Amino acid sequence: MGSVRIPFNRPAMLGPESTYMAQAVASGSICGDGKFTKRCHAWFEERLQVNRALLTTSCTHALEMSALLLDIAAGDEVIVPSFTFVSTVNAFVLRGAKPVFADIRPDTLNLDEQLLESLITPRTKAIVVVHYAGVACEMDAILEIARRHNIPVVEDNAHGLFGTYRGQELGTLGVMATQSFHETKNITCGEGGALLINDEQYACRAEILREKGTDRSRFFRGQVDKYQWTDLGSSYLPSDILAAYLLAQLEQSEQIQQRRRQIWDRYDEELGNWVDENQVQTQVIPAHCSHTSHMYALLLPNLEVRQEFIQYMAKQGIMTPFHYVPLHLSRMGLQLGGTAGLCPVTERISDQLVRLPLFWSLTDDEQSDVIEAVKAFRVGQAKWFGEPFIRRAA
Ligand SMILES: *Cc1c(COP(=O)(O)O)cnc(C)c1O
């Protein structure tokens, strides 16, 4: 295997990040909820019109906060896609919940809304959706089912910042939503996250949980004369130094998104023929969704070809990693009731998917190299065993 010439990701760094971080350090206070954190909160509240935005140390922690806010307890069931990152599920399992794994649609790779109702039981306490690669789930159908059964919906919006569903911003559709600013995400501060509260009944308690279970935030606003332990909680505040980095990224998010969109569109245009000729598929983006250019994924015919592709690209120094391994088949998932065949689409897609390098600082020449390398890869017909399964989005 050659050395890495084109990595899968480089975190975006536009310049003002270091200026802001230096300002945070010079300010003499670098703990959480400082000036930069407050500016990030205001930015989200204005840009997305959410009731409350709270920075957290990670999306994982924002998900843990959402499980606390929804009073998830032992014996509760939470419906989650199996095709997601561990934290989407683990945050709820930490509270004692049993994950009920939902399969995904083969076109959008999102939780299959047609299966949702059959998974609901009297114990269902939450539905967690993931907008894969920033392509929205079918939220009208999901929210309608959730409303009828009176079950809150949480959006794990780690991929979905700036995506829309029928014109509405992702992250504003569930009772709350979680964001990630891990360095692999579009907007980053290395490690970080946010909890976005849409249903205001959760706002006050969210502040308390995030401040170690104390009413410290209300104390600082002069709403109570001393602060005390009032609820469960933990330490979920990032340092203001990280918030400084993040604010710089948020302020330049249009530039970041625009460049990512250019790269995504070029892949789509220039690989179109190769995709058709080689029985490769790509994620379907419904007309009513605008995606976030978080990822450009290829679905190769099967696991064998996919592995061959990854090795072939790696030999040329180009990293094209696979993605989620079905959670219901992980060691933990199996202990929690997962079995082979439970989510057949997830199982198949997980074997087929690879992701191409897509990041803000990818140069045109680097992208040309990736495209040329992909186009020179021929999928042997003999290895194709999949039946045509694509179901086009409505
Ligand atoms: C990245 C990611 C997370 C975890 O984010 P952290 O900020 O690293 O905790 C959770 N869910 C999804 C869907 C992700 O992609």
Side-chain angles (χ1 to χ4, degrees):
M1 202 181 279
S3 60
V4 178
R5 206 158 45 91
I6 304 176
F8 170 65
N9 181 59
R10 285 187 212 117
M13 171 87 188
L14 284 72
E17 290 89 346
S18 28
T19 313
Y20 278 8
M21 281 196 295
Q23 283 173 17
V25 172
S27 78
S29 174
I30 53 175
C31 66
D33 277 344
K35 275 191 206 128
F36 285 101
T37 306
K38 295 215 161 81
R39 285 168 71 185
C40 288
H41 290 173
W43 192 93
F44 278 108
E45 286 163 14
E46 224 162 88
R47 172 71 173 71
L48 298 180
Q49 295 291 306
V50 290
N51 180 277
R52 192 74 53 95
L54 295 168
L55 292 195
T56 58
T57 28
S58 63
C59 182
T60 301
H61 277 163
L63 285 158
E64 287 179 22
M65 284 180 66
S66 66
L68 282 162
L69 285 168
L70 297 175
D71 288 318
I72 302 297
D76 291 346
E77 291 177 2
V78 175
I79 299 176
V80 288
S82 176
F83 193 62
T84 184
F85 188 64
V86 189
S87 297
T88 315
V89 182
N90 216 359
F92 296 86
V93 174
L94 268 172
R95 311 304 318 151
K98 175 180 183 286
V100 174
F101 294 109
D103 207 356
I104 52 170
R105 295 168 54 130
D107 53 359
T108 62
L109 315 183
N110 283 324
L111 187 144
D112 190 338
E113 70 283 355
Q114 289 182 33
L115 301 173
L116 182 59
E117 195 144 26
S118 67
L119 300 174
I120 293 176
T121 77
R123 293 186 174 169
T124 310
K125 287 288 160 59
I127 297 165
V128 188
V129 299
V130 177
H131 307 298
Y132 187 74
V135 178
C137 297
E138 277 311 317
M139 293 307 286
D140 280 351
I142 292 170
L143 292 172
E144 189 275 321
I145 294 166
R147 214 172 288 127
R148 206 151 21 78
H149 293 268
N150 199 22
I151 299 168
V153 173
V154 176
E155 296 173 82
D156 177 344
N157 199 35
H159 305 177
L161 183 59
F162 309 125
T164 64
Y165 174 75
R166 299 196 192 280
Q168 282 178 285
E169 301 275 351
L170 303 187
T172 66
L173 301 160
V175 292
M176 57 192 89
T178 64
Q179 302 296 152
S180 174
F181 309 118
H182 183 262
E183 75 167 23
T184 51
K185 304 305 197 288
N186 291 21
I187 303 294
T188 182
C189 62
E191 297 277 359
L195 180 66
L196 307 179
I197 303 281
N198 294 311
D199 184 336
E200 82 168 299
Q201 64 166 307
Y202 299 106
C204 179
R205 191 162 174 235
E207 279 185 351
I208 291 172
L209 301 184
R210 180 167 164 278
E211 275 282 21
K212 299 93 181 167
T214 72
D215 52 2
R216 197 163 179 271
S217 299
R218 286 159 78 199
F219 171 72
F220 280 118
R221 285 198 299 260
Q223 291 166 344
V224 286
D225 8 319
K226 56 180 184 222
Y227 78 85
Q228 58 174 320
W229 184 20
T230 63
D231 201 335
L232 294 177
S234 189
S235 181
Y236 294 123
L237 288 72
S239 158
D240 218 41
I241 303 175
L242 286 177
Y245 193 109
L246 182 64
L247 182 68
Q249 295 246 316
L250 293 173
E251 288 180 349
Q252 294 173 101
S253 53
E254 255 168 60
Q255 262 170 276
I256 296 174
Q257 288 300 100
Q258 203 174 48
R259 176 63 187 144
R260 293 188 75 108
R261 171 55 66 111
Q262 259 174 6
I263 297 169
W264 195 100
D265 286 347
R266 186 174 165 209
Y267 276 140
D268 207 50
E269 250 172 62
E270 297 191 18
L271 292 177
N273 287 339
W274 175 85
V275 160
D276 292 342
E277 286 161 18
N278 287 277
Q279 292 171 296
V280 173
Q281 276 146 357
T282 53
Q283 186 181 18
V284 171
I285 302 180
H288 53 276
C289 300
S290 101
H291 70 99
T292 58
S293 312
H294 176 55
M295 184 186 303
Y296 199 87
L298 299 171
L299 298 170
L300 293 161
N302 58 47
L303 178 64
E304 210 184 339
V305 178
R306 198 270 306 270
Q307 295 307 86
E308 226 173 86
F309 180 88
I310 291 175
Q311 275 173 27
Y312 157 88
M313 294 295 279
K315 269 194 207 124
Q316 301 172 71
I318 303 170
M319 297 296 103
T320 57
F322 57 88
H323 208 192
Y324 303 132
V325 174
L327 286 177
H328 69 284
L329 299 181
S330 64
R331 196 180 305 163
M332 196 60 184
L334 290 169
Q335 281 173 31
L336 290 162
T339 49
L342 183 69
C343 301
V345 181
T346 300
E347 291 169 29
R348 184 177 61 215
I349 296 289
S350 167
D351 281 350
Q352 295 179 296
L353 193 144
V354 281
R355 298 172 289 162
L356 301 183
L358 201 179
F359 47 89
W360 178 76
S361 62
L362 185 74
T363 66
D364 289 341
D365 286 348
E366 285 173 326
Q367 192 177 11
S368 300
D369 286 359
V370 177
I371 291 169
E372 256 169 59
V374 172
K375 281 168 132 180
F377 182 87
R378 290 277 142 196
V379 176
Q381 295 290 320
K383 294 202 169 116
W384 167 254
F385 68 71
E387 78 279 17
F389 62 82
I390 203 80
R391 189 177 65 187
R392 289 284 155 180

